[in-house]
Amino acid sequence: VSLAIPMLLISPVGGVVADRINKRRLLIWTQTIAAFAALTVGILILSDLIKFWHLLVVSAVIGIVFGIIT
């Protein structure tokens, strides 16, 4: 749910953004954000600091990213 709702809400805006911005630049930025989110989760897991809300936030960020690039 925390992935689908942001993706659903941001998709119309993401379509407009994708039409107006250089596709290569958009892909680089969105993939960088997704990689940073995954790295953040990995660091939190390794440091034993991960909480459920961290996963919800990262899932929402990934949902926004997917909403922009799809």
Side-chain angles (χ1 to χ4, degrees), residues 39-55:
L39 180 66
T40 301
V41 170
I43 290 171
L44 287 170
I45 289 171
L46 289 175
S47 62
D48 202 30
L49 296 173
I50 193 82
K51 303 287 184 206
F52 182 69
W53 70 269
H54 293 128
L55 297 175

Side-chain angles (χ1 to χ4, degrees), residues 1-11 59-61 63-64 67:
V1 172
S2 65
L3 178 77
I5 292 173
M7 188 161 44
L8 178 68
L9 294 176
I10 204 72
S11 289
S59 179
V61 168
I64 291 169

Side-chain angles (χ1 to χ4, degrees), residues 1-38:
V1 172
S2 65
L3 178 77
I5 292 173
M7 188 161 44
L8 178 68
L9 294 176
I10 204 72
S11 289
V13 176
V16 172
V17 170
D19 287 340
R20 296 177 189 252
I21 294 181
N22 181 353
K23 305 258 189 277
R24 182 175 182 270
R25 176 179 262 171
L26 179 66
L27 190 61
I28 288 171
W29 274 105
T30 54
Q31 293 301 313
T32 301
I33 293 168
F36 181 72

